[in-house]
Amino acid sequence: MTDGAAPQPEPAGEASPWPWSATWPLALLTLISTFNYLDRSLLGLALPAIKHEMGASDTLLGLASGLAFILFYSVLGIPIAWLADRYNRRNIIAAGLAFWSVMTALTGIVANIWQLATVRLLMGAGEACGMAPSNSIIADLFKPDRRPLALAIFGTASSLSYIVFFPIAGWIAQHHGWRAMFVAMGIPGLLLALLLILTVGEPRRLSPPPQRLALARSLGNDLAALFGNRCFTWIFLGVTLMGANVWAAGAWTPTFFVRVHKLGVGEVAGIIGPARGLIGIVGILLGGALIDRLPRDRIFWRIGIPAIACLLAGPAEALFLLGNSYSAWVGGFALSSFFSLIHQAPIFAAVVNIVSERRRALGISVVLLGASLIGNVVGPSMVGLLNDLLATHFEDDAIRYSLLLISVTPLLAGLCFWRAGRLYAAHIAPAGGGA
């Protein structure tokens, strides 16, 4: 049972042509999303220096890096997405981008851990304006059979941030200090916000006008309709588990390299950038292209392929964390980078295909709530707590075992997506269309 909007059948034959008029909006939204990922990830790169300067425990640093940011990012994401389903999404993205960029720059002048947590809270509020409205705009710009590839391109933002900007940020931190890094990385977002306003328009909607739409149902009824869809519920669970993986890895992998492999911050950025970036982007695009070329009657595999990728990511993470030889941990890190983000684009495409048009931003925001808030509670914060508990026995190697959390969560997520794929197939097939 869906939330009220069955996907519309499409004529058989070749896939819909690529809408080239949508290419610039997609490119700009992807670049904006790159800074969305970059700005939140910078703190993980700076954690060792901040710990040394401020003398905070790993538990407190985990809360500041994870929970403080996520409280506003995930909770405010729901009402912001509800507004984005009714009002101008481009303006919401631009305002949020400008605000979180200012907060990124202000991170470079904080004096203590409490000011850091406050700035992270406010940064989360700004970044909540990015992902869900952007996914909704892209869904309006591309037909259903083109959405997995379009959203795969959009999903390369995280990898692009590691490839292009993470090494630059690491170089600035190593030569000019972590504070200068935050200031330098906050400035470009202000320019991008202006560029978005000047060059991208709000796509035309097919749903009722905002005035009638806002009165149609309450936010509570919309949320109840989403979770009344069992396919959506299993997707929510899977994305939540992968959120724990991605956020914990993002927050603590730089510290893992410093403590276990004794690398400097510049070396860490040089390793994470190519692996999480280049290898990750290959996985994202290959997964999106593969799903884009699936025959329309292979509905299950549009979620089944991401499920398999998650099941393979778990052992790869374990090899990375437990491998002692250079070839073992580098190979594990490369494989985990390849598999861990393949799920995002097809899963988001599935969400916008199983909810009504006027719930697209809200549906994306709800799964991001699971990935962000719940994922962070059991992600960075839990790893930080386990680090402190295990440090008395394992010392610097404690992080090696606490991070094993990121090898378990993908296995569970893969099972959830597999179940969602079965339900997705049963739902989509009668409508006669593809995803």
Side-chain angles (χ1 to χ4, degrees), residues 311-334:
L311 292 171
L312 294 173
E317 298 281 19
L319 178 62
F320 160 57
L321 295 171
L322 301 178
N324 288 316
S325 68
Y326 180 83
S327 58
W329 66 260
V330 167
F333 191 56

Side-chain angles (χ1 to χ4, degrees), residues 200-428:
V200 175
E202 172 74 1
R204 182 178 64 88
R205 300 181 195 251
L206 299 178
S207 55
Q211 293 81 1
R212 286 166 33 192
L213 187 61
L215 297 174
R217 289 182 182 175
S218 67
L219 176 59
N221 286 339
D222 283 342
L223 292 173
L226 289 175
F227 283 102
N229 182 332
R230 289 194 300 152
C231 181
F232 179 88
T233 302
W234 281 108
I235 286 176
F236 174 83
L237 292 173
V239 171
T240 298
L241 289 162
M242 285 307 296
N245 168 277
V246 171
W247 285 94
W252 288 107
T253 295
T255 303
F256 170 84
F257 279 124
V258 171
R259 292 182 184 176
V260 175
H261 297 295
K262 313 303 179 186
L263 301 178
V265 65
E267 293 174 295
V268 171
I271 292 174
I272 292 178
R276 292 294 194 214
L278 289 173
I279 298 174
I281 206 169
V282 170
I284 293 168
L285 290 177
L286 186 61
L290 180 61
I291 293 170
D292 183 70
R293 293 178 179 275
L294 283 173
R296 289 182 175 175
D297 60 347
R298 298 287 192 257
I299 302 299
F300 165 77
W301 291 106
R302 293 177 181 265
I303 301 182
I305 289 174
I308 292 173
C310 291
L311 292 171
L312 294 173
E317 298 281 19
L319 178 62
F320 160 57
L321 295 171
L322 301 178
N324 288 316
S325 68
Y326 180 83
S327 58
W329 66 260
V330 167
F333 191 56
L335 287 172
S336 68
S337 299
F338 179 81
F339 289 121
S340 61
L341 293 180
I342 286 179
H343 73 284
Q344 285 190 349
I347 290 300
F348 286 163
V351 169
V352 299
N353 287 330
I354 63 174
V355 303
S356 66
E357 182 186 0
R358 69 182 185 83
R359 294 193 184 108
R360 284 174 179 165
L362 183 63
I364 294 295
S365 182
V366 169
V367 296
L368 288 175
L369 172 70
S372 302
L373 180 60
I374 303 174
N376 248 291
V377 169
V378 297
S381 302
M382 183 61 69
V383 171
L385 176 62
L386 290 173
N387 283 345
D388 289 335
L389 292 175
L390 297 174
T392 55
H393 185 69
F394 294 104
E395 297 181 341
D396 282 348
D397 270 354
I399 194 171
R400 185 194 291 266
Y401 304 109
S402 58
L403 267 176
L404 282 174
L405 178 73
I406 67 175
S407 69
V408 176
T409 48
L411 297 175
L412 299 175
L415 297 176
C416 291
F417 290 147
W418 193 270
R419 177 58 179 158
R422 293 299 183 190
L423 295 169
Y424 187 60
H427 172 67
I428 297 291

